Amino acid sequence: LNRRSLASLPDAGSSVEEVEFNWDEYLEDTGATAAPHGSFKHVDTSLQNGFAPGMKLEVAVKSDQNTYWVATIITTCGQLLLLRYDGYGEDRKADFWCDIMTADLHPIGWCEQNKKILKVPEGIKDKIPDQEEFLQRVLKGACSAPANLLEGLHRGKNPLDLIAPGSRLELQNIRDSLEAWIVNVVENVGGRLKLRYEGLEDSDKFDQWLFYLDPFLHQVGWAAQHGYSLQPPLAIRSLKSEADWQEILKKVKVEEEESSVPTDLFKDKPVIGVHSFSEGMKLEAVDPMAPFVISPATVLKVYNEKYFMIQIDDLRPDRTTSQSYICHVNSAGIFPVQWSLKNGLHLSPPPGYPGQDFDWADYLKQCGAEAAPQSCFPLLTSDHGFKENMKLEAVNPVDPEEVCIATVTKLKDSYLWLQLEGSKKPVPDCIVSVESMNIFPVGWCETNGYQLRPPRKAIVNKQKKIAVVQPEKQILSSRTVHDGLKNQELNSSDSVVINGKYCCPKIYFNHRCFSGPYLNKGRIAELPQSVGPGNCVLVLKEVLTLLINAAYKPSRVLRELQLDEEAAWHGHGETLKAKYKGKSYRATVEVVRTADRVADFCRKTCIKLECCPNLFGPQMVLDKCSENCSVLTKTKYTHYYGKRKNKRIGRPPGGHSNLEVAMKKPNKRRKRRKHFFVHKKKRSSTSVDNTPAGSPQGSGGEEEDDQDESELSHSLAQDRDKRKRKLRTFSFSDDENKPPSPKDIKMEVAEKLQLDSNPLEWSVADVVRFLKSTDCAPLARIFLDQEIDGQALLLLTLPTVQECMDLKLGPAIKLCHHIERVKLAFYQQFAN
């Protein structure tokens, strides 16, 4: 249920019928994919809150509020930070959430300046014998969290939220000259600002929509600092007298401090470089106000080393207006002469040009002009992630109030041709740069509460009754955190939702980590560095889709991820698709809905795919992976992380699963989910074909099905053996406790183990420390998760290791070899 659906309910017990556009349904029914979130850099920048993983700060110690210690930011989520005190290393259990607005947080150096005590927390006192030496080491080259976001008026605020309605900015006039005028922020939609000229408070006729990172938008005072005149544009100048405009300027200067926007907000704006254009040069250009055609254009005027004016050529003698606008070297939509011809595109001749066959050589000769050299233009790139038929959301250039569904119909270098669907008035395909700030990822409008124009013939959810369902557990809102948990730290397991927005932190792809047997290392390396932040379901769905597409066999990975229908339902079911050898596969995959469960979801998914648990997740692996996964290879991979191999295949013949495979049928609407799984089945003696109707004959469309069948039989046999075998009582004298004889397995005999302490008294940490000193170090995580201390270690046997830890025989034997060494040393040193 989304917020709009709930808002429409007349009362808690009633039900309504409602039809609304649904992106997931639309993508599925059109067979299209969403443009990757990572391709919209301006959106990614807008979601940053000024804090980043790896930054350090000084935090009040929970057990002693009079002392402080250095902590590192693990991840961010709105005004909440997930922190870990320095000294805990890779111990995730020590992580805790803090609300920036209420917690006692300060930048590095604050304690020294304010004569406060830095003291090691009790939990890690034994790990840090020399506090001063430790601090010098961890703070060397460290990046402190920004002081202005930890203290003062801007504390805890997302920088973007500082541009509130009523804030003032300065806007350069892109039509007339390098003049600027003050604008008021009327509305802020995810960084997209509705701006109104100062002095026109009662009129919206000249309102403009611009993204806050637009190069022509500045903080108040910019014009004076850079020597540009501050006066209203010609279009509105005649609406008031000169005296009125001067009075408005005086008023703005008096109120400047109250309505000003921090300068730091513009630090991520694109830097404008130096151009080399000269007046009279010819080029090809797209009018930003009507970006539908490419036309010949002229450099009309050069203002300085940064700005110049372009005019779209018009040869009509009776013309009364001209299309001109200000540009800089990185302006979108300017190209060298012949660019259209080289890319097989149509160049629209200037109005009044004789004939339809435009020729640049003749035109330059006719005008007595020169073409702008190639060196004047920025290099174009095709490395952006967009592909034909991808879907996104885009501003309608004819009516900037509208944000429409858009389809990529063509790509050339750094430019997209977009077909807008659902606009009030049909428009031709728009030409936009891949770096345009007027395009947004799928779901952007819904996330920011803005109306997305659905397609005219919308494929929508069928009319359905909406019921109010009580949530399983209360989700903490920002107000709950602020009002109910003042001066308290949140546990890392608490749910995090900030105003219903961006509840999922960034998910990093740690390309250096072990990719496992299913995922192609080369394709993993091509994935973006991160996805999100954003809506949990959308972000995780995109992450899983990227992983499926990075697999050797996407259908196999989809099978690994599919939801077991008998499993407890804890999250949100999403339909994911895979294509392999010309066939399409679909499966329902469970994803989590709240930020508190994202890290665990990512880790468990990694374990399902038999890759490093840190391959992707909300934590970036900066240097060395905490799992020491660099020692693993595909050929030597063992089930170090507790994966149950016999559950990989699914059910026996005749059972059901939700993975379906279907041949792609053009121009036909796909049927809704049918829960069946097609795999190669054993034929009976009568050769009855049990293959479900509509599926590829006899197989799931994969070559590995023969192998799957044998694996299935093997796993069923294992299941029968396990049911027959009763779990044996832990025993020191169990015969199966002995390692196999040398003729069964070759293993070097290790030196006799000398223990410094009695293993009966070992803590879980002691056991983990011991394992990390052996060649079974990757298994230490299982012992930590299952809290196996010294007494439990001495009770482990080969069968119980295999049963309880789900290890293959090889790694289980290797582990038991070390356990036997501990037992032997225990008998010899401490048993008496």
Side-chain angles (χ1 to χ4, degrees), residues 37-48 160 190-192 210-214 268 270 386 392-393 395 433-441 444:
H37 280 251
S39 296
F40 303 87
K41 294 181 176 59
H42 60 298
V43 176
D44 192 29
T45 301
S46 72
L47 300 181
Q48 306 305 313
L160 192 59
R192 188 166 183 256
L210 287 176
F211 204 72
Y212 81 104
L213 294 174
D214 190 286
D268 295 315
F386 290 100
L392 58 146
E393 299 176 3
V395 174
S433 164
V434 295
E435 295 183 350
S436 168
M437 297 183 192
N438 282 328
I439 59 176
F440 305 95
W444 184 85

Side-chain angles (χ1 to χ4, degrees), residues 77 119 161 189 207 296 449 518 635 657 785:
C77 188
K119 184 179 177 183
D161 294 336
V189 180
D207 287 0
Y518 298 139
T635 55
S657 135
D785 292 343

Side-chain angles (χ1 to χ4, degrees), residues 55-72:
M55 286 182 175
K56 295 186 183 293
L57 61 167
E58 294 175 356
V59 188
V61 177
K62 193 172 184 180
S63 57
D64 184 357
Q65 293 292 323
N66 295 320
T67 65
Y68 296 80
W69 190 241
V70 176
T72 300

Side-chain angles (χ1 to χ4, degrees), residues 58 92 137 279 283 295 299 320 326 495 514 540 566 683 722 756:
E58 294 175 356
R92 297 167 185 252
R137 178 162 46 84
E279 287 184 11
L283 66 158
S295 308
V299 178
T320 56
I326 305 296
S495 299
F514 175 61
L540 294 177
E566 289 184 354
R683 303 301 175 98
K722 286 181 181 179
D756 297 327

Side-chain angles (χ1 to χ4, degrees), residues 647-659:
K647 285 198 173 181
R648 190 171 69 82
I649 298 301
R651 307 183 193 288
H656 296 279
S657 135
N658 59 6
L659 179 65

Side-chain angles (χ1 to χ4, degrees), residues 806-823:
D806 301 309
L807 297 180
K808 281 185 173 179
L809 183 61
I813 290 173
K814 187 186 290 187
L815 174 62
C816 285
H817 170 71
H818 293 294
I819 295 173
E820 285 301 306
R821 294 175 64 211
V822 175
K823 288 181 182 179

Side-chain angles (χ1 to χ4, degrees), residues 27-28 30-33 388-389 523 545 547-558 576-587 659-665 670 700-702 704:
L27 290 173
E28 184 176 346
T30 56
T33 58
E388 282 189 16
N389 297 319
R523 292 177 193 163
T545 300
L547 288 172
I548 289 168
N549 294 334
Y552 291 107
K553 296 179 179 178
S555 52
R556 173 65 67 87
V557 169
L558 185 61
L576 296 185
K577 293 180 284 186
K579 289 186 178 179
Y580 183 63
K581 294 194 174 182
K583 296 180 176 66
S584 296
Y585 300 81
R586 289 186 295 167
L659 179 65
E660 61 177 275
V661 56
M663 299 295 289
K664 185 116 178 172
K665 295 181 180 179
R670 255 190 231 123
E702 300 178 70
E704 71 267 23

